[in-house]
Amino acid sequence: MKRIAMVAALALASPALADAPAVQPMPTYPGIPADLAKAAADFDLAQVKSDGEALKRLLADDYLLINSQDKREDKAQFIADYTAKGFTMEPFAIDDQVIMVWADGAVLGGAVTMKGMSEGKPYSVRIRFSDIWAKRGGKWQVIYTHANRVAAGS
């Protein structure tokens, strides 16, 4: 996310792509409760569309991200990154998907190649992430994300 997990800070230090980006399908979440699958898909789309209102709804107030630069970000910082003027993120696919669900929680993650524009420059970065979801008050929200860069060639 950037899903997941996945903040503008991850992309800013990465090399630019020379080729035009190919459109990726957005992730799906097979075999999980329908309300969680919808929330996860909405979260992915909110990041791609820079939808601050959706991100406010889908991130818990106590949300914490540890990004690929080992920096902490809270909900407000995450939303600011994804809604920053000039920031874009292309649709993405999740490889090596991780799905673990229990009654009121879940881990959704995997590896993604994030591409887009930031501060007028193209970025491409490969990361592995885990989003921790909690069902609170009948709705699913991301409470924690951890993202790390995937070594070149991995």
Side-chain angles (χ1 to χ4, degrees), residues 71-89:
K71 305 262 191 245
R72 290 175 176 249
E73 291 193 24
D74 63 15
K75 177 178 181 173
Q77 291 165 315
F78 183 95
I79 293 170
D81 285 344
Y82 281 85
T83 59
K85 185 175 180 176
F87 175 79
T88 65
M89 188 169 98

Side-chain angles (χ1 to χ4, degrees), residues 42-147:
D42 288 351
F43 183 53
D44 294 338
L45 193 58
Q47 292 171 81
V48 169
K49 291 190 169 195
S50 298
D51 184 344
E53 289 304 311
L55 291 172
K56 285 179 192 173
R57 184 180 75 254
L58 293 161
L59 294 171
D61 288 341
D62 58 347
Y63 173 77
L64 175 64
L65 163 71
I66 305 297
N67 70 25
S68 68
Q69 296 175 345
D70 201 30
K71 305 262 191 245
R72 290 175 176 249
E73 291 193 24
D74 63 15
K75 177 178 181 173
Q77 291 165 315
F78 183 95
I79 293 170
D81 285 344
Y82 281 85
T83 59
K85 185 175 180 176
F87 175 79
T88 65
M89 188 169 98
E90 295 176 15
F92 56 89
I94 300 174
D95 304 318
D96 198 19
Q97 197 168 30
V98 173
I99 297 176
M100 301 171 72
V101 181
W102 53 98
D104 57 356
V107 177
L108 302 178
V112 297
T113 300
M114 299 170 16
K115 299 176 184 178
M117 296 291 289
S118 183
E119 297 180 351
K121 298 176 185 166
Y123 67 84
S124 177
V125 62
R126 180 90 172 142
I127 66 163
R128 181 168 296 282
F129 73 95
S130 297
D131 288 333
I132 310 300
W133 289 78
K135 193 168 191 178
R136 295 175 171 172
K139 65 180 182 176
W140 287 100
Q141 292 184 307
V142 183
I143 61 172
Y144 177 81
T145 301
H146 186 212

